[in-house]
């Protein structure tokens, strides 16, 4: 089971629609998009022979109401942080600036998580 599937499994009881990739259309008020992203360039120390890369998971919440989307994004962060202790090696990295998709008529709230393997 890959990390996207593990995150989807964490969100099963939350009544959220989970989509892999960028959605084309959304029927519900709120949906969660999961994608694998590029890692930021890690800083090197004097002892590093090469650059250390890591896999990143982007979690985007598409919501018609900004505040409910933010609540959903923060709830997902709490679920992932509580699961880290026992099942996954994934850590919160950062929030991105939110956006609005006029075609979908949804606010997009973005976050990124770092996977340690």
């Amino acid at each position: 089971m890959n990390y996207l599937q593990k995150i989807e499994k964490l969100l099963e009881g939350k009544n959220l629609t989970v989509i892999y990739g960028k959605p084309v259309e959304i029927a519900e008020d709120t949906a969660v998009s999961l994608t694998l992203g590029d890692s930021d360039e890690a800083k090197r120390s004097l002892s590093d022979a090469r650059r250390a890369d890591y896999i990143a998971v982007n979690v985007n919440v598409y919501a018609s109401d900004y505040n409910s989307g933010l609540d959903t994004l923060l709830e997902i962060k709490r679920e992932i942080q509580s699961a880290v202790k026992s099942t996954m090696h994934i850590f919160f990295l950062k929030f991105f600036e939110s956006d609005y998709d006029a075609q979908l008529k949804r606010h997009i709230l973005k976050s990124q998580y770092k996977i340690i393997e």
Side-chain angles (χ1 to χ4, degrees), residues 32-52:
V32 177
S33 168
L34 303 175
T35 58
L36 290 177
D38 297 328
S39 65
D40 290 337
E41 190 170 308
K43 292 183 180 178
R44 291 177 55 164
S45 67
L46 292 174
S47 62
D48 286 343
R50 59 189 171 102
R51 189 180 80 190

Side-chain angles (χ1 to χ4, degrees), residues 94-112:
K94 60 184 167 184
F95 289 115
F96 291 101
E97 183 179 348
S98 60
D99 199 5
Y100 184 78
D101 190 327
Q103 180 182 359
L104 295 173
K105 297 179 181 165
R106 299 283 189 276
H107 296 277
I108 308 169
L109 296 102
K110 305 172 185 179
S111 62
Q112 190 174 57

Side-chain angles (χ1 to χ4, degrees), residues 21-68:
K22 186 177 189 299
V24 178
E25 62 180 44
I26 301 172
E28 294 79 15
D29 282 343
T30 304
V32 177
S33 168
L34 303 175
T35 58
L36 290 177
D38 297 328
S39 65
D40 290 337
E41 190 170 308
K43 292 183 180 178
R44 291 177 55 164
S45 67
L46 292 174
S47 62
D48 286 343
R50 59 189 171 102
R51 189 180 80 190
D53 289 328
Y54 56 86
I55 300 169
V57 174
N58 297 319
V59 177
N60 297 336
V61 175
Y62 289 79
S64 56
D65 179 44
Y66 183 86
N67 290 329
S68 69

Side-chain angles (χ1 to χ4, degrees), residues 78-97:
R78 283 190 296 274
E79 287 291 328
I80 291 174
Q81 286 176 330
S82 66
V84 163
K85 296 175 185 169
S86 59
T87 59
M88 295 193 295
H89 297 25
I90 180 170
F91 303 97
F92 174 76
L93 194 58
K94 60 184 167 184
F95 289 115
F96 291 101
E97 183 179 348

